[in-house]
Amino acid sequence: MARQARNWHPGGYFHVLQRGVARRTLFTDDEERLRFLDFLESALGHDNHELLAWCLMGNHVHLAIRQGNVGLGDFIKRSFGRYAQWFNIRHRRVGHLYQERYKSIQIGTDAYLKELVRYIHLNPVKARIVPKPERYRWSSHSAYLGKTGPLSDVLNTTSVLGQYSGSTARARASFAKYVNSGMDKDELIDFDRGNAGSDNALVPDGSLATILTVGEHRVRKAIELDMDKSIQILCSHFSVDPEILGHPGKGQPTATIRNVLALLGRKSGAWSLQSVASRFERDYSSLSKGADRVAQRLETDESLQKVWKQLWD
């Protein structure tokens, strides 16, 4: 049977999972864990891939990756492949180290990305290795809390933390609270297999109702909302030509329109903030802060409330 083609989606989020063959231990000591992380860091220097989260378990590895300008295959060879060669030489063994090919599950929205990073960081807790995620050295959780550690210099935490607040301190506190809230919950998302009739994607569909637990309204909006239609509504309301939304400058109301789109995506999960940033060639962090400002304006700005009601109700 022919192998299923890998997803190639530059800028897309992916959950990469690799297991040891026959559940074999991949790391026998800290030297091996550090060597694997060295290979991983070196591989990130190619093809513009970004690391958003990681966790080394005894017999498997979890990564959250934003894909660069090529597929993930070469990245896997430069990291997992080099480690397997080094491991075999060190232990004077031959044969496969990993169970089949790596899995790469595409993550469709920011809402899934937040869940994925929490899932990755809670792996050692769910396995009862440590009582709290911050007690585990071999994951990116401590880096998200602002502490230095392995790969902290190359880890991109902005894509996740930016969804909570434009303030780094508040974002870290909210993130820690969100991760801890999942410690006693059963995982509803099959991050290892995907959904929507596919085994290599997690995208918005009817199953979102079992994934997003913030209410039926948000679930419905995540499925219904369309960015192009939202842009039309906003541009009509503010009397703005859609063609100028990507032009340089921070003037009103074009900046307001972009910030509303960022907030709309954040609240609904219908699209990622990164997709807004890419479409209008804007900085991710600035858009995240803009979404915070729009959320505050909605409390008092009647004109903004009117168009938000049109979009959100």
Side-chain angles (χ1 to χ4, degrees):
M1 180 181 294
R3 286 182 172 181
Q4 184 177 20
R6 293 290 188 183
N7 279 356
W8 182 64
H9 184 66
Y13 302 128
F14 285 83
H15 175 210
V16 174
L17 171 63
Q18 183 65 278
R19 298 185 183 277
V21 64
R23 299 187 178 183
R24 180 189 177 92
T25 296
L26 297 177
F27 312 104
T28 63
D29 57 28
D30 287 353
E31 180 181 352
E32 292 179 357
R33 294 181 181 90
L34 290 171
R35 182 56 66 97
F36 175 83
L37 294 176
D38 285 342
F39 289 137
L40 187 63
E41 182 173 1
S42 176
L44 288 169
H46 297 267
D47 308 323
N48 299 318
H49 300 307
E50 293 183 3
L51 180 66
L52 288 84
W54 61 274
C55 183
L56 308 186
M57 299 294 286
N59 62 5
H60 63 282
V61 175
H62 293 279
L63 305 176
I65 296 285
R66 177 181 289 145
Q67 193 176 79
N69 49 21
V70 299
L72 293 172
D74 287 343
F75 166 77
I76 295 298
K77 291 177 183 177
R78 293 189 182 103
S79 52
F80 288 90
R82 288 181 65 193
Y83 177 75
Q85 293 175 356
W86 177 85
F87 183 94
N88 281 353
I89 291 172
R90 187 187 195 208
H91 291 278
R92 299 181 180 180
R93 68 180 296 275
V94 295
H96 296 293
L97 180 61
Y98 305 117
Q99 177 180 303
E100 301 177 344
R101 294 193 301 168
Y102 68 96
K103 287 190 175 184
S104 57
I105 311 298
Q106 185 177 353
I107 308 301
T109 68
D110 281 341
Y112 286 95
L113 179 62
K114 288 168 59 178
E115 291 276 358
L116 171 61
V117 174
R118 177 166 72 173
Y119 168 77
I120 289 174
H121 288 179
L122 285 179
N123 253 248
V125 177
K126 296 298 179 70
R128 299 185 178 182
I129 299 173
V130 291
K132 296 181 179 180
E134 58 266 30
R135 298 282 297 275
Y136 192 66
R137 179 184 178 188
W138 303 107
S139 85
S140 52
H141 188 70
S142 292
Y144 268 81
L145 303 184
K147 301 177 182 178
T148 58
L151 301 183
S152 58
D153 291 339
V154 297
L155 187 72
N156 172 10
T157 61
T158 306
S159 294
V160 173
L161 293 180
Q163 297 183 47
Y164 293 94
S165 173
S167 163
T168 301
R170 287 197 297 269
R172 285 173 175 163
S174 297
F175 172 79
K177 182 178 180 180
Y178 175 72
V179 172
N180 290 337
S181 71
M183 289 175 58
D184 299 321
K185 294 181 179 179
D186 292 331
E187 186 59 51
L188 295 177
I189 310 175
D190 193 346
F191 284 111
D192 294 0
R193 295 184 61 185
N195 69 356
S198 170
D199 64 357
N200 65 354
L202 277 165
V203 295
D205 67 353
S207 66
L208 216 60
T210 64
I211 295 169
L212 301 177
T213 58
V214 294
E216 293 182 0
H217 181 73
R218 179 176 175 180
V219 172
R220 177 172 60 83
K221 298 309 294 186
I223 299 170
E224 293 179 354
L225 278 171
D226 177 84
M227 189 185 296
D228 289 329
K229 291 181 180 179
S230 299
I231 290 172
Q232 291 176 6
I233 292 171
L234 286 163
C235 286
S236 175
H237 177 82
F238 288 105
S239 299
V240 169
D241 184 348
E243 295 296 324
I244 71 171
L245 290 180
H247 288 185
K250 301 180 180 179
Q252 297 284 1
T254 55
T256 297
I257 292 174
R258 294 190 296 264
N259 293 338
V260 169
L261 289 171
L263 180 63
L264 199 60
R266 178 191 289 176
K267 286 180 65 67
S268 68
W271 53 74
S272 68
L273 194 148
Q274 181 61 41
S275 66
V276 182
S278 298
R279 177 160 182 164
F280 300 113
E281 298 182 350
R282 286 301 187 274
D283 177 69
Y284 183 102
S285 179
S286 297
L287 269 178
S288 178
K289 293 176 182 178
D292 289 342
R293 290 193 297 271
V294 163
Q296 293 176 351
R297 284 179 57 191
L298 276 171
E299 298 177 5
T300 57
D301 190 322
E302 292 183 359
S303 176
L304 198 57
Q305 290 171 356
K306 181 177 179 181
V307 71
W308 182 264
K309 181 178 177 65
Q310 189 177 354
L311 291 163
W312 190 249
D313 286 356

